[in-house]
Amino acid sequence: MQCSWKAVILLALASIAIQYTAIRTLTSKPFQLCPVPSPQNCGLLGGSETESPIEGRAGCDDYPYFSFNASRKTHIMVLATTRSGSSFVGQLLNQHADIFYLFEPLYHVQTTLIPRLSHSRNAADRRVMLGASRDLLRSLYGCDLYFLESYIKPAPANHTTDKLFRRGASRALCSLPVCDAFGPTDANVEEGDCVKKCASLNMTLAADACREKRHVAIKVVRVPEIGDLRALVEDPRLNIKVIQLVRDPRGILSSRIETFRDTYRLWRIWRATGRRPYNLDLSQLTVVCEDFLGSVSTGLSHPHWLKGKYMLVRYEDLSRNPLLKTMEIYDFLGLPMDKSVEEWIQTNTRGSTELSAKHKYGTVRDSAANAESWRLKLSYDMVEYTQATCHKVLHQLGYKAVKSAEELKNMSLSLVQDKTFVPFS
Ligand SMILES: *[C@@H]1O[C@H](CO)[C@@H](O)[C@H](O)[C@H]1NC(C)=O
Ligand SMILES: *[C@@H]1O[C@H](CO)[C@@H](O)[C@H](O)[C@H]1NC(C)=O
Ligand SMILES: *[C@@H]1O[C@H](CO)[C@@H](O)[C@H](O)[C@H]1NC(C)=O
Ligand SMILES: *[C@@H]1O[C@H](CO)[C@@H](O)[C@H](O)[C@H]1NC(C)=O
C-alpha cells in the first residue's frame, strides 16, 4: 500500500504522545500548558493573582518574561506614600545610566479601578487594587509596557499614547531613541520640556528602551503594606529589592495640606481657626499611620521572604546627608553608583542656590532644615493630635514627640533621633 509508511510514522507519533501523556500524568509536578507566564497562569509561580479585573488579555506570546536574561536584572521598588520624598529617591535611581525608571505606574490602575477614592479603606476595593497592581508590576519589571495600556485612558492607539502619567519624570522616556527632541548631550531634560517637546510615547520603543537597560526601578505609593507584596517578592522570575521610604507623619501631613489643597481643606481651616472642624476626615491621618505601622513592623521583623531584599530609609536621614545615604542605597542594591547620580545630588541639594527657583526639587535643598520645616507650619494642637494618633509609629521610627509649642518651634532641637536601620542582609 502506497501510504503505509506514513501510517507507520503516524502510529509511532501517536504512541509517543500517549507515553508522554502517561509520564506527565505520573509526575507529581504541576504541568504548565503555557511555557511563558501570562497573567492567567502566573499564579502558579507567584501566588494567586486572580483578582485583576482587566478583560481581554492577549495570549502567552505577549508576556516575554523568559525571552531575555532576567537573572541579571535587579528589580528595584521604592515603596512609599505620597509626600514622603519618594520623587527625590526616584530621581536618585532615574539618574543612573543602567536603570530604567517609571514614576508611579499604579496611578493608572487606581484611576481606572477606583476613580472615586484616593485612600480607600474599603477592603474589597483594596483587594482589587492590589491584585491588579501586582500583575501590572510583574509585567512592567519584565518590560512589558503593553500591559499598562489596558489602564490608560483614553486607550492608546497603535501602541502610542500621550497620557502616560508623569512620563517626563523618566529619563529613558525623554531621550533617544524613545524621544528624538533632544540630543544625546542634553543631560537633564526638565519634566515639562519633555512633555512639551517629545512626540507621543511609542510604547514599543519604550519597552525596547527598558530591555536595553540592565535594571528596572519603579516608584510605588499605592501599595499600603509591604506584606501585600510578598507574592511579588517571592516570585522566582523577579529579583526584587524594596527600598521602603518613611517620613515623620507630621511632616507628611503638613506637606499634604500644602499640596492637596482641596482634599485637605478642613485641615487648613483647623490651622487657620485653631478649631478642629467636626467633620474633619481623620482617616486622612490614621491611614498613613496604620499603614506605616503595619508595613514597617513587617519589614523590621525581618521575615525570611525579605532576606536580602529590604532596606528602610528615613527621608530625614536622606535629607541630612544625601550623598552618604545614596551610597548606602546603592550598596544595598549591589550596584555601583554612577557619576551622574552624584552630580544630580550636587545640583539638587546643597550648593548652586541660584538654581533653586528653577528646580523642582528645591524643597530638598538645605534639606536638613527643610525636612523639619513642618514644625513652623502646623499648629501645636494639630501636632499634639497627630502625635496621639500616631504615637506607636513615631516611636518605632525614632521621631520625638514635643510637649509644648515652644519645643515645637525651637528648631535648634531636632525631633529626629539618631537611629540606624541596617538593610536586612
Ligand atoms: C544571564 O546573565 C548572567 C550574568 O550576566 C549569566 O551568568 C547567565 O549565564 C545568563 N543566563 C543565561 C540563560 O543566558
Ligand atoms: C493606526 O495605524 C493604522 C495603520 O498604520 C492607521 O490606519 C490608523 O489610522 C492608526 N490609528 C490611529 C488612531 O492613529
Ligand atoms: C513605534 O516604534 C516601532 C519600533 O520602532 C515602529 O515599528 C512603529 O511603527 C512605531 N509606531 C508608531 C505609531 O509610530
Ligand atoms: C531651644 O532649645 C535649646 C536646646 O535645648 C535651648 O538651649 C534653648 O534655650 C531653646 N530656646 C528657646 C527659645 O527655648
Side-chain angles (χ1 to χ4, degrees), residues 30 35 61 78 97 103 121 140-141 162 170 214 229 233 313 327 394:
D61 300 7
V78 178
F103 184 106
R121 282 308 264 172
L140 293 176
Y141 280 126
D162 48 17
S170 173
R214 288 181 60 91
L229 295 170
V233 173
V313 175
M327 281 150 86
L394 286 175

Side-chain angles (χ1 to χ4, degrees), residues 244-291:
Q244 180 165 34
L245 180 71
V246 297
R247 184 182 181 185
D248 190 324
R250 296 166 293 187
I252 292 176
L253 178 65
S254 168
S255 182
R256 287 183 178 177
I257 289 174
E258 305 295 335
T259 312
F260 310 126
R261 297 186 69 81
D262 283 347
T263 320
Y264 285 77
R265 192 176 53 90
L266 293 175
W267 294 85
R268 289 212 316 285
I269 291 176
W270 183 358
R271 187 175 59 186
T273 62
R275 283 185 185 197
R276 171 148 62 95
Y278 71 96
N279 53 347
L280 185 73
D281 179 5
L282 293 174
S283 76
Q284 289 175 320
L285 178 64
T286 51
V287 167
V288 174
C289 292
E290 281 168 23
D291 286 347

Side-chain angles (χ1 to χ4, degrees), residues 5-19:
W5 63 273
K6 283 186 188 166
V8 169
I9 290 176
L10 278 175
L11 266 174
L13 286 177
S15 124
I16 289 170
I18 289 166
Q19 287 178 35

Side-chain angles (χ1 to χ4, degrees), residues 360-422:
K360 288 181 62 253
Y361 301 94
T363 45
V364 179
R365 199 177 307 279
D366 287 0
S367 0
N370 251 303
E372 291 199 55
S373 66
W374 58 267
R375 295 168 61 180
L376 305 174
K377 293 178 184 149
L378 292 183
S379 64
Y380 177 68
D381 54 343
M382 290 170 93
V383 169
E384 199 179 27
Y385 183 81
T386 307
Q387 290 175 170
T389 310
C390 303
H391 71 276
K392 276 192 191 142
V393 85
L394 286 175
H395 176 74
Q396 190 176 33
L397 294 173
Y399 300 123
K400 262 186 271 184
V402 290
K403 294 187 190 69
S404 67
E406 291 68 43
E407 239 185 288
L408 175 66
K409 307 295 175 192
N410 185 348
M411 298 302 279
S412 60
L413 211 87
S414 175
L415 301 184
V416 183
Q417 288 165 331
D418 286 334
K419 196 158 178 167
T420 312
F421 298 92
V422 284

Side-chain angles (χ1 to χ4, degrees), residues 68-73 214:
F68 61 95
N69 186 343
S71 63
R72 66 190 166 81
K73 287 215 179 205
R214 288 181 60 91

